[in-house]
Amino acid sequence: MAFTSFLISRKFSGMQLVVMIFFMITAAFMMSYFRMGGALGRKVNIALEIIISIAAIVFPEAAMLLPITVYEILSDRQIAAGLISFAGIAFSAEHFEPDNYVLFVIIIILSLYISYVSGKQQKLEKDNKKIRDEGEVQKEKLRSQNRTLLNEQDKNIYLAQLSERNRIAREIHDNVGHMLSRSLLQVGAMMVVHKNEPVSKELSSLRETLDTAMNNIRESVHDIRDESIDVEEAVKEMAEPLKNKYNVRFDCDISGRNMPKEIKYATINIIKEALSNISKYSHNSNVDINIEEHPVMYKIVIHDYEVINENEPGEAREVSFTGNGMGLDNIRTRAEQLGGQALFTNNNGFRVFVRIPKN
C-alpha cells in the first residue's frame, strides 16, 4: 500500500490523488474483510477481485488498484482472476510513463512475494496450532492416565498394608486368642469345681488377669488395623539400594502416629519418584533425604549434589527449574492434591522441595 501510494502520487495530484488513495485503501480493506468472512465472504471477495481486474482493462486509472488485487488473488488461489489481472497489467502499459511502469511492475512482483510469504506463514501458524492442540489433548490423556496410576499406587500400598494387618490379626486370633479363650474356659470350670474351696479366690483373680490380657489383645488388634505405614522404615528400605552408588543421608523428624495416612502415602511415593529420578539421571555422589514435621506442615526435601561449599556465606541461590517429566509431574500432582506445593531447583545438583499442610 505504501509503494502503491507513492506510485499514485507520481501520476495524480490534487483531488484525484486523494480519491485514488481512498479507493485503494477501501478496496484493500474490503477484500481482506470479505476473505475472512466465511464461504459467502470469500465468494464476494473473489467477485471484487474479478471486477477490479476487468476495470483495470477498461479504465487505465483502475490499474493502480492491481497491486492490492493481485495480493488477494494469490491468497485466494484464483486462476481466472489472476489471468484477468495480468491482462489488465499488460493493457495499462501504454498509459504509464516507462519509469512509472517499471515501478508499477516491481510493486506487482513485491505484492505477489508478500502474499506468498504471508500465506506460507499463515499455513505454518495453522499447523502449529493444530500440533499444539493435539499436544494438549495428548497431555490431558497422559494426566488422566497419570492420575489413575497414582490412585493405583495408593491402592496397592493400602492393599499391602491391609494384607499385613489381616495376617497379624489372624495370627493373634488363631494362636494367642484361642489359648487365652481356652485358659478362661479352664479357669471357669475350675472355679465351678472348687467353688467352696479356698483356691476359688485365687482362681477368680487369675480369671480377671486373663480377661485383662484378652481385652489388651483385642485393643492391640484394633490398633494394628488403625496404624498406618511406618514412613521412616519405608524410606529406609527405598534408600538402601542407592547406597551402593551414592552417599545417602536420611533425616526423619516426624511423629508417625499423628501423620494422616493420605500424607504418608504421598510422602512415600514422592520420595520414591525422586529417588527413581536420581538413580536414572544423577551423576553426583551425595543424596540427602529430609522429612520434617512443623506445627502447620510437613516438609520433604530430596537433594542430590556433588560438593557443597561450606565457606560460601548463606545458602546457594536456587535457580528455578521447570520439569515436565512424568516423575516430576507425579510429585507435583500428589502435593497439590493435598493442598501443598512442589518446587524443583537445579543448583549444584537437583533438589526437590515439597510442602504439605497438616489441615
Side-chain angles (χ1 to χ4, degrees):
M1 289 177 66
F3 283 115
T4 305
S5 298
F6 172 74
L7 180 62
I8 292 173
S9 67
R10 296 187 61 173
K11 188 172 179 61
F12 300 96
S13 62
M15 185 55 65
Q16 285 184 324
L17 174 62
V18 174
V19 171
M20 289 303 299
I21 291 179
F22 171 80
F23 274 123
M24 178 196 66
I25 296 174
T26 303
F29 279 96
M30 284 181 66
M31 286 188 289
S32 296
Y33 173 80
F34 284 122
R35 183 157 52 86
M36 296 184 295
L40 180 60
R42 273 195 83 209
K43 291 179 181 179
V44 175
N45 188 47
I46 293 170
L48 284 174
E49 293 167 3
I50 294 173
I51 291 171
I52 294 174
S53 299
I54 294 173
I57 298 174
V58 180
F59 305 104
E61 291 81 5
M64 293 296 180
L65 302 178
L66 286 177
I68 302 299
T69 306
V70 296
Y71 176 94
E72 296 294 329
I73 290 172
L74 184 59
S75 298
D76 291 332
R77 301 295 190 269
Q78 290 301 311
I79 298 176
L83 293 174
I84 298 172
S85 66
F86 279 102
I89 295 171
F91 278 108
S92 63
E94 58 182 348
H95 300 284
F96 281 90
E97 296 180 2
D99 55 343
N100 285 341
Y101 186 74
V102 171
L103 181 59
F104 174 71
V105 173
I106 291 173
I107 296 173
I108 292 289
I109 295 172
L110 179 63
S111 179
L112 291 170
Y113 174 76
I114 294 174
S115 180
Y116 169 77
V117 172
S118 179
K120 193 173 182 180
Q121 181 68 24
Q122 289 175 0
K123 185 177 183 302
L124 287 174
E125 290 176 357
K126 185 178 180 180
D127 293 340
N128 287 337
K129 288 179 180 179
K130 183 179 179 181
I131 293 172
R132 183 189 62 191
D133 292 342
E134 291 175 350
E136 287 296 326
V137 171
Q138 292 299 323
K139 190 175 181 181
E140 184 57 35
K141 287 182 180 179
L142 287 175
R143 285 176 178 170
S144 177
Q145 293 174 356
N146 193 30
R147 286 192 292 267
T148 302
L149 288 174
L150 294 178
N151 292 333
E152 286 296 325
Q153 286 179 356
D154 287 347
K155 184 179 178 181
N156 291 336
I157 292 175
Y158 175 75
L159 291 176
Q161 177 187 8
L162 185 61
S163 176
E164 182 64 14
R165 289 174 180 173
N166 289 335
R167 186 191 68 80
I168 295 172
R170 282 196 305 269
E171 291 289 334
I172 294 174
H173 177 269
D174 294 342
N175 296 315
V176 181
H178 281 176
M179 287 190 292
L180 283 176
S181 297
R182 183 180 177 185
S183 299
L184 284 170
L185 290 173
Q186 290 174 340
V187 171
M190 293 174 65
M191 289 177 65
V192 172
V193 173
H194 303 284
K195 182 176 181 181
N196 297 321
E197 297 181 14
V199 74
S200 177
K201 189 173 183 180
E202 283 75 6
L203 290 174
S204 178
S205 176
L206 177 59
R207 183 171 184 175
E208 289 178 3
T209 301
L210 292 173
D211 280 335
T212 301
M214 179 62 80
N215 291 332
N216 288 339
I217 287 176
R218 290 195 183 101
E219 290 176 1
S220 297
V221 171
H222 181 74
D223 289 340
I224 289 172
R225 290 174 180 171
D226 290 341
E227 281 181 358
S228 299
I229 295 175
D230 190 329
V231 173
E232 186 171 359
E233 290 300 320
V235 174
K236 284 181 179 178
E237 290 181 5
M238 289 188 292
E240 191 66 28
L242 271 70
K243 292 182 178 180
N244 296 327
K245 185 178 178 182
Y246 306 96
N247 299 318
V248 181
R249 184 175 65 182
F250 174 43
D251 294 321
C252 184
D253 182 15
I254 59 172
S255 176
R257 291 185 177 272
N258 296 328
M259 180 182 280
K261 66 178 183 179
E262 294 83 4
I263 297 181
K264 285 194 174 185
Y265 292 150
T267 301
I268 291 172
N269 282 289
I270 285 170
I271 295 175
K272 181 179 179 182
E273 295 285 2
L275 296 183
S276 176
N277 282 348
I278 289 173
S279 64
K280 289 179 182 177
Y281 307 117
S282 176
H283 300 290
N284 294 319
S285 303
N286 305 290
V287 176
D288 285 355
I289 308 169
N290 194 290
I291 309 174
E292 295 181 11
E293 179 179 0
H294 296 273
V296 295
M297 70 171 186
Y298 294 96
K299 185 179 77 171
I300 307 165
V301 179
I302 305 98
H303 184 199
D304 68 281
Y305 58 92
E306 190 59 38
V307 176
I308 293 180
N309 187 358
E310 300 291 347
N311 297 323
E312 184 178 348
E315 294 184 355
R317 182 175 63 87
E318 294 182 345
V319 179
S320 178
F321 179 87
T322 301
N324 294 320
M326 187 67 72
L328 299 184
D329 193 50
N330 287 348
I331 293 173
R332 188 182 294 109
T333 300
R334 288 187 178 278
E336 291 175 352
Q337 284 177 345
L338 296 173
Q341 62 181 152
L343 175 66
F344 310 112
T345 55
N346 192 14
N347 188 36
N348 188 24
F350 192 76
R351 185 173 182 266
V352 177
F353 175 91
V354 177
R355 180 192 65 82
I356 301 177
K358 286 187 173 181
N359 296 323

